[in-house]
Amino acid sequence: FAYADVSGNIGIWQQGDFPLRHDDAGKFILPGDDSRYLWKGYIPFLENPHVFDPPENYLYSANQNPTDTTYPYTYFGDFIQFRARRIARVLGGSDRLTVQDMMRLQNDYYDAFAAEALPLMLRFLDTAGVSPDDRPYLDSLESWDYRETASSLNPVLFSGWWDSLYHGIWVDDLPSGGKVAYRQPTDNTTIEWLLRDSSMPFVDNRNTPDTENLSTQVSVAFTRAMHAVHGVDTQGLNWGRYRGTD
């Protein structure tokens, strides 16, 4: 729950009962007939993730991880950090935010994920191999302000390029549609991993005799994605039409 009172206090307190877990218990299927894997109780309510009167004098909740590495209990979840970081930058950028400022934030089209992913992709792209037909798309992406306006083509270009890169990284290691239902890492996990380690082992496609690096994957993904865009761009493709919200 989010909390505020007339004395100026603010807080957020995570509600619910969270089982006490040991190690990675609960991440994967465990034997139900083994008492070693039974829950041993719950995190004390007063120690649920919470914050009260932070020094920043503001709070925000946007599906981000609610604690840092000092939190003593184990829990799991799919967290989205990029949107939260965008909100934090806006809230922390002024101590005189108005109602109009908050309205603009509610309608913010800024793609915080693309703002962190695209510079990495551009850095590893082999620009010498970009065809003359694809060059205008690359030039457009390089000057993008990361605003996802309905009339813009750049969000389409980025989305297609990222989807192609994501597929190229994971399809050989965690294929879908087989006998085993593998769960591939999220987009957020993937880009955060690549930002930390651009040579992480899953970049290589183990189904080929060559050893692919991130530059190879990024460049192949770019060519594949731009080829797909060429097939529809003559019809005036933009983000609104691509998303069906035009």
Side-chain angles (χ1 to χ4, degrees):
F1 285 106
Y3 168 86
D5 61 34
V6 295
S7 298
N9 300 299
I10 57 174
I12 293 180
W13 207 295
Q14 184 67 51
Q15 303 301 299
D17 292 329
F18 301 92
L20 291 168
R21 303 180 186 274
H22 59 86
D23 302 324
D24 288 336
K27 268 191 175 181
F28 307 103
I29 296 174
L30 297 171
D33 59 351
D34 191 330
S35 61
R36 290 178 300 172
Y37 299 105
L38 293 175
W39 289 349
K40 308 300 182 183
Y42 296 91
I43 296 174
F45 178 77
L46 292 180
E47 297 180 45
N48 278 359
H50 64 276
V51 59
F52 187 76
D53 285 345
E56 298 85 1
N57 294 319
Y58 60 81
L59 293 166
Y60 57 94
S61 177
N63 302 118
Q64 77 272 20
N65 193 334
T67 68
D68 59 22
T69 57
T70 63
Y71 188 65
Y73 300 103
T74 299
Y75 61 89
F76 310 120
D78 292 329
F79 304 111
I80 303 173
Q81 302 297 111
F82 299 98
R83 182 172 58 178
R85 285 202 282 265
R86 168 64 175 169
I87 295 172
R89 281 194 291 269
V90 173
L91 296 181
S94 173
D95 59 357
R96 295 288 181 179
L97 290 170
T98 65
V99 172
Q100 287 71 30
D101 291 327
M102 297 306 295
M103 291 172 64
R104 281 191 291 270
L105 181 58
Q106 289 291 326
N107 291 283
D108 189 16
Y109 297 137
Y110 187 85
D111 187 341
F113 176 82
E116 299 202 30
L118 184 57
L120 176 77
M121 295 159 69
L122 291 171
R123 188 166 82 247
F124 280 89
L125 177 65
D126 178 13
T127 56
V130 174
S131 71
D133 289 341
D134 292 343
R135 175 60 64 172
Y137 293 144
L138 175 58
D139 292 342
S140 184
L141 282 170
E142 288 178 331
S143 62
W144 186 27
D145 62 0
Y146 304 112
R147 304 280 175 180
E148 290 189 326
T149 57
S151 61
S152 175
L153 178 61
N154 286 319
V156 182
L157 301 177
F158 169 74
S159 178
W161 188 8
W162 170 258
D163 288 347
S164 183
L165 175 60
Y166 178 92
H167 179 80
I169 290 174
W170 295 117
V171 68
D172 58 309
D173 298 291
L174 299 170
S176 59
K179 294 182 178 180
V180 179
Y182 295 106
R183 184 182 182 186
Q184 296 176 341
T186 65
D187 292 336
N188 295 276
T189 297
T190 301
I191 191 58
E192 287 184 341
W193 196 344
L194 290 173
L195 288 168
R196 288 196 306 268
D197 180 12
S198 60
S199 60
M200 63 99 148
F202 293 104
V203 167
D204 177 45
N205 187 339
R206 62 179 183 172
N207 294 330
T208 69
D210 300 322
T211 300
E212 289 82 11
N213 55 30
L214 185 56
S215 180
T216 306
Q217 291 280 22
V218 164
S219 301
V220 170
F222 179 83
T223 301
R224 186 184 298 118
M226 297 310 110
H227 177 76
V229 171
H230 279 298
V232 291
D233 192 18
T234 55
Q235 303 172 17
L237 182 65
N238 58 41
W239 188 234
R241 294 190 63 185
Y242 180 80
R243 297 289 290 178
T245 56
D246 57 333

